Amino acid sequence: MAPGIVDDPFPLYRTLRARHPLHHDEPFGAWLLSRYADVGAALADPRLVAPPPGRTLTHLESATHTAHRALLAPALQERALDALKAGVERTAYVLARRIARRDEADLVEEFCHWLPAVAVVRALGLPYEGTAHVAALCRAGLTHLGGAPEALDVFLRPHIVRRRAHPTDDLLGALCAARTDGRPLSDETVCGLAATFLGAGGHTTGRALAALLANLLDHPEQLALVRAGPELADAAWAESLRRDPAAHIVLRRATEPVRVSGGTIPAGATVACLMGAAGRDPDRFPDPDRYDLFRTDPGGLAFGAGRHRCPGARLARLTADAGLRALLTELPAMTWAPGFRPVGTGLLTRSPAALRVRLG
Ligand code: HEM
């Protein structure tokens, strides 16, 4: 919480990893975990659950969690994503072409905010016109865990009412028709599940895409390689998620005392898994601050671990892949605008606030 940390938390992460791998941070009110091994183990530990308040999937445990997670799964599987792909690719090209007419642009404002919102609005089955609304909510603070619930509820309610009266076969329709323990889900539960979906898709994927573009623009030689060999896009994405994970801190609450890195987290305490620190742990990754798309093992923590591991990783990759390809094709001379340097913003989720590029 100290001044300057949000601008550059990485020196602090280095100190924590090396000297205080388990540290209680008074102002933040949480026990900090920063080493790759500890963060991975904590995310998968059933004694560490999502902290209140919250009504989204990550806040549920046991049978209810399994049942609700299963309701989202069909919309994130290969067949559903195949159906989504062409629309996401088309949108990516439309957005990129609009930018290509100009001398300079901010890719966060004009691309990263929009493309993932389109993908997730379509995946849920909301009308295309809902995209601007979802993108605006993401900007106003709809987080990965579906914050800003009131504004989102107001937006979703009429769609839920309509589907309760006239069932549809999209994801929102499936949530409205679903029964758990013989009873339909309440409107509140449907909104919570939809909020996680829209928040993750619209907000977190947008942030991860912005980080990927920043890493490539910072390394023009690697950008040129991806342009020449699109099959390298997956490696570029995985390496960016390691070095600059969009879900930068994941919170948990200890239901009982948990021993870790030579100390004990007391029951009831909040735990902050510092994903951004874990991704640059030198005990796990050689030369961890370097962005290197040829890194043979970039790890896999960025989407979490254990029972809450992100079910949207494939949709996120599909979106990022479509976005990157459209930008590389339509903006072939893209470089940083003169004098511009990206600045990271946010701690729970994190990415560059702006990406000002010159196009000609
Ligand atoms: C690059 C983009 C993304 C990143 C970095 C990311 C990261 C994560 C992480 C770290 C978690 C675990 C949170 C926890 O353990 O508390 C998570 C959970 C989740 N993510 Fe994502 N996510 C991304 C995109 C998506 C997309 C596109 C969707 C679907 C539209 C999605 C849906 C979810 C859901 C529903 C959960 C909760 C799972 C559960 O609690 O069982 N995510 N995500």
Side-chain angles (χ1 to χ4, degrees), residues 43 57-58 65 69 72 76 120 144 196-197 200-201 204-205 208 237 241 246-247 250-252 275 301-304 307-312 315-316:
L43 289 172
L57 197 56
T58 31
H65 172 253
R69 196 176 153 106
L72 294 183
L76 296 167
V120 85
H144 189 88
T196 316
F197 206 85
T204 319
T205 310
W237 173 240
L241 284 165
V250 174
L251 297 174
R252 289 284 191 266
M275 312 283 275
L301 264 198
F303 288 104
R307 66 212 178 280
H308 290 291
R309 186 178 151 78
C310 180
L315 174 56

Side-chain angles (χ1 to χ4, degrees), residues 121-210:
V121 158
R122 293 179 84 110
L124 198 61
L126 290 168
Y128 193 74
E129 311 82 79
T131 308
H133 200 83
V134 168
L137 284 176
C138 290
R139 248 178 272 192
L142 178 64
T143 66
H144 189 88
L145 297 180
E150 251 187 66
L152 189 64
D153 283 7
V154 170
F155 169 64
L156 288 173
R157 239 8 118 159
H159 296 288
I160 293 175
V161 169
R162 226 168 292 142
R163 278 164 176 80
R164 296 243 191 247
H166 306 285
T168 53
D169 58 6
D170 51 34
L171 174 59
L172 194 58
L175 294 177
C176 290
R179 302 183 84 78
T180 52
D181 297 330
R183 282 196 307 269
L185 303 180
S186 66
D187 283 3
E188 209 202 343
T189 302
V190 173
C191 280
L193 286 167
T196 316
F197 206 85
L198 294 172
H203 176 87
T204 319
T205 310
R207 277 200 178 282
L209 178 56

Side-chain angles (χ1 to χ4, degrees), residues 52-73:
R55 55 172 194 158
T56 66
L57 197 56
T58 31
H59 292 94
L60 300 176
E61 293 295 339
S62 56
T64 314
H65 172 253
T66 311
H68 287 191
R69 196 176 153 106
L71 294 174
L72 294 183

Side-chain angles (χ1 to χ4, degrees), residues 225-297:
L225 289 172
V226 176
R227 198 189 293 284
E231 70 283 356
L232 292 174
D234 272 0
W237 173 240
E239 172 66 346
S240 184
L241 284 165
R242 173 197 70 80
R243 186 178 183 274
D244 297 291
H248 203 72
I249 299 181
V250 174
L251 297 174
R252 289 284 191 266
R253 182 176 53 84
T255 55
E256 56 183 271
V258 176
R259 279 198 64 74
V260 52
S261 260
T264 302
I265 301 167
T270 301
V271 180
C273 299
L274 304 182
M275 312 283 275
R280 298 196 192 191
D281 185 340
D283 285 343
R284 177 65 175 76
F285 305 105
D287 199 359
D289 291 332
R290 191 160 53 93
Y291 179 79
D292 175 7
L293 68 84
F294 291 108
R295 193 179 287 278
T296 46
D297 174 14

